[in-house]
């Protein structure tokens, strides 16, 4: 009886702690709601005003901006609420922050079986400076597509490959940056963790996502080629992200950009080849390491990357160090560099030399490769022993 009461008390204590942490985290966010970022004035406000002027949902098929219509559905819904546009936009992203933290809680609990570590992970996500700035100061929606990437990852841990592809597809129809996670899904498919027929979910989700816009007058060709048109919008090789193109910050070259895309494809292909040719066991921890690796590697080698594109990599870095606490510095570097990039955009401030921060991220990437290589080597040795 005493043990049962103790367990019940711990559950109540955990719930109260989570509730208190969530309330404090939201109050911290509300205090930043008055900040009007450059992106709000250049993009978000204009999109919102167009929707208001053209009767909300009836306007989602219009050529409003360079996002998939999925996000415009959210903005259209907000136009019917008695709140200011800036408040509504930021509130949606802040709610996504909480859901993202809950998904991280579920993932950590699944991998470690520790409720305490899961609660710490939940609280850490909510209080990460980069997460707070992204949603409540900047008004960006990176937490939305990232939470669906994490749901895709969690589905694989649970052995649900259909759910994995559906969630990944939803992430993709919010932001093209979901492709950072695509190499992981490719590895899982080639190693039999994801069945081929589940790929059907991708075009289905994509088509369903554009139907409301199509039915309200949108052009079908324009709707299915949003990301192709978006890819030609920016011409700078590096937009203040600490990646391989950091030495060419703000430089413009169509030839270098074209070559850079093939370079990135080649690097990712080599990494995939080494992993697929190995006998690495695709257990939960190894899939986590691969997720941390590729969500960092892909934006690291691609040109035209924005300052906030390490958002998924930073969340995976947090989960990674909970499993590998001795490598906590990898997460601290990712969080610091993402925060620095966001602060640069929002406030024009740099906490440290940009080129040095590029070097720091490079060290994290090399560390991930080292962890994967060690696992590959271990499995190769075990395979040789079996043969002998």
């Amino acid at each position: 009886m005493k043990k049962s009461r103790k367990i019940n008390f711990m559950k109540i204590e955990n719930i109260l702690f989570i509730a208190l942490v969530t309330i404090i985290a939201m109050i911290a966010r509300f205090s930043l709601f008055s900040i009007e970022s450059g992106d709000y004035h250049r993009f978000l406000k204009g999109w919102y005003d167009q929707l208001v002027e053209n009767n909300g949902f009836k306007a989602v098929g219009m050529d409003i901006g360079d996002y998939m219509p999925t996000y415009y559905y959210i903005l259209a819904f907000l136009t019917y609420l008695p709140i200011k546009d800036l408040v509504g936009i930021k509130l949606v992203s802040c709610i996504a922050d909480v859901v993202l933290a809950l998904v991280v809680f579920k993932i950590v609990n699944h991998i470690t079986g520790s409720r305490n570590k899961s609660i710490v992970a939940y609280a850490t996500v909510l209080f990460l400076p980069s997460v707070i700035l992204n949603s409540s100061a900047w008004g960006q929606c990176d937490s939305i597509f990232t939470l669906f990437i994490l749901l895709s990852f969690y589905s694989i841990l649970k052995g649900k490959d259909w759910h994995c592809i559906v969630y990944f597809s939803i992430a993709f129809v919010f932001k093209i940056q979901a492709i950072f996670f695509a190499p992981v899904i490719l590895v899982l498919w080639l190693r039999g963790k994801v069945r081929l027929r589940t790929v059907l979910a991708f075009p289905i989700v994509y088509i369903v996502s554009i139907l409301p816009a199509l039915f309200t007058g949108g052009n079908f060709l324009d709707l299915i080629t949003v990301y192709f048109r978006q890819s030609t919008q920016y011409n700078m090789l590096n937009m203040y992200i600490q990646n391989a193109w950091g030495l060419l910050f703000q430089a413009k070259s169509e030839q270098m950009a074209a070559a850079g895309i093939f370079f990135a494809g080649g690097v990712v292909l080599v990494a995939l080849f080494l992993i697929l040719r190995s006998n690495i066991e695709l257990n939960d921890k190894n899939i986590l390491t691969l997720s941390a690796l590729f969500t960092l590697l892909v934006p690291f080698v691609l040109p035209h990357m924005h300052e906030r594109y390490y958002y998924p990599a930073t969340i995976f870095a947090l989960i990674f160090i909970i499993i590998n606490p001795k490598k906590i510095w990898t997460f601290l570097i990712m969080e610091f560099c993402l925060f620095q990039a966001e602060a640069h955009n929002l406030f024009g401030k740099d906490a440290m030399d940009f080129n040095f921060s590029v070097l720091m991220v490079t060290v994290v990437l090399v560390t991930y490769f080292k962890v994967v290589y060690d696992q590959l080597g271990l499995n190769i040795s075990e395979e040789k022993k079996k043969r002998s």
Side-chain angles (χ1 to χ4, degrees):
M1 182 66 71
K2 290 183 178 180
K3 185 176 181 181
S4 177
R5 288 180 179 176
K6 184 178 180 180
I7 292 174
N8 289 333
F9 178 76
M10 287 181 63
K11 286 183 178 180
I12 294 173
E13 191 178 60
N14 290 341
I15 292 172
L16 290 175
F17 177 76
I18 290 173
L20 181 61
V21 162
T22 305
I23 292 171
I24 295 173
M26 292 303 285
I27 292 174
R29 285 162 168 76
F30 293 156
S31 66
L32 299 175
F33 270 28
S34 61
I35 295 176
E36 298 181 0
S37 68
D39 282 357
Y40 167 71
H41 287 286
R42 286 193 298 269
F43 305 108
L44 296 170
K45 181 174 174 55
W47 298 346
Y48 188 94
D49 289 344
Q50 277 189 274
L51 290 167
V52 171
E53 294 166 4
N54 293 278
N55 301 312
F57 279 112
K58 294 181 180 180
V60 293
M62 296 177 59
D63 186 15
I64 296 173
D66 63 347
Y67 273 34
M68 281 286 288
T70 323
Y71 186 64
Y72 301 136
Y73 302 153
I74 296 175
L75 294 184
F77 173 76
L78 293 175
T79 64
Y80 296 95
L81 302 180
I83 55 177
K84 294 181 179 179
D85 57 352
L86 185 62
V87 172
I89 290 168
K90 292 186 175 184
L91 186 59
V92 167
S93 295
C94 289
I95 292 172
D97 289 351
V98 177
V99 181
L100 173 64
L102 285 170
V103 177
V104 171
F105 174 96
K106 297 289 287 184
I107 290 171
V108 173
N109 189 57
H110 174 86
I111 296 177
T112 68
S114 170
R115 188 56 58 95
N116 290 338
K117 288 182 179 179
S118 304
I119 292 173
V120 169
Y122 173 87
T124 302
V125 171
L126 286 184
F127 284 105
L128 285 179
S130 62
V131 173
I132 294 174
L133 277 187
N134 188 281
S135 59
S136 57
W138 205 341
Q140 292 291 347
C141 61
D142 293 286
S143 57
I144 298 178
F145 90 91
T146 301
L147 79 86
F148 283 107
I149 289 178
L150 269 291
L151 282 170
S152 179
F153 171 76
Y154 181 59
S155 297
I156 280 300
L157 301 186
K158 301 288 286 186
K160 299 177 179 179
D161 57 348
W162 277 104
H163 292 73
C164 169
I165 302 302
V166 169
Y167 285 130
F168 172 75
S169 303
I170 295 173
F172 184 80
V173 298
F174 270 104
K175 299 282 272 187
I176 192 174
Q177 286 73 45
I179 63 169
F180 301 162
F181 188 65
V184 179
I185 292 181
L186 181 58
V187 170
L188 295 169
W189 170 57
L190 293 174
R191 293 292 294 271
K193 285 277 188 178
V194 173
R195 292 167 293 179
L196 179 60
R197 60 178 175 269
T198 60
V199 177
L200 291 172
F202 186 85
I204 292 173
V205 170
Y206 196 97
I207 294 300
V208 169
S209 74
I210 68 173
L211 286 180
L214 187 64
F215 292 152
T216 53
N219 180 280
F220 180 74
L221 184 61
D222 288 343
L223 290 171
I224 64 172
T225 59
V226 168
Y227 288 145
F228 289 103
R229 290 182 285 116
Q230 188 186 96
S231 65
T232 62
Q233 183 176 357
Y234 303 100
N235 54 12
M236 287 187 291
L237 293 171
N238 178 287
M239 287 172 273
Y240 207 86
I241 183 172
Q242 302 92 337
N243 71 357
W245 301 91
L247 297 178
L248 296 174
F249 173 53
Q250 291 189 329
K252 300 178 182 179
S253 172
E254 293 183 5
Q255 297 85 352
M256 286 289 289
I261 292 173
F262 285 103
F263 163 75
V267 171
V268 173
L269 187 62
V270 170
L272 286 170
F273 176 81
L274 292 174
I275 292 166
L276 292 170
R277 279 298 179 91
S278 74
N279 294 300
I280 187 171
E281 179 187 356
L282 290 183
N283 56 34
D284 293 350
K285 292 183 179 180
N286 288 342
I287 295 174
L288 170 60
T289 302
L290 293 178
S291 299
L293 170 65
F294 281 111
T295 53
L296 176 56
L297 175 64
V298 177
F300 185 85
V301 293
L302 273 172
H304 298 320
M305 295 290 98
H306 288 253
E307 57 279 284
R308 65 184 188 279
Y309 284 1
Y310 283 151
Y311 193 106
T314 301
I315 300 300
F316 272 114
L318 169 61
I319 304 171
F320 176 79
I321 63 102
I322 291 175
I323 312 303
N324 303 276
K326 291 183 178 180
K327 292 183 171 56
I328 188 173
W329 56 271
T330 58
F331 163 68
L332 294 176
I333 288 175
M334 292 306 304
E335 170 58 20
F336 180 86
C337 289
L338 178 59
F339 178 76
Q340 176 188 349
E342 292 178 344
H344 174 86
N345 181 284
L346 287 167
F347 311 112
K349 297 294 183 179
D350 296 310
M352 65 183 300
D353 179 73
F354 179 72
N355 291 329
F356 184 70
S357 64
V358 172
L359 178 61
M360 291 173 66
V361 173
T362 304
V363 172
V364 174
L365 184 59
V366 171
T367 300
Y368 286 159
F369 269 113
K370 179 65 166 56
V371 173
V372 173
Y373 178 81
D374 288 344
Q375 187 59 44
L376 296 181
L378 177 63
N379 280 277
I380 290 171
S381 299
E382 291 177 349
E383 184 67 20
K384 286 181 178 179
K385 289 180 180 177
K386 290 179 181 178
R387 290 177 181 177
S388 61

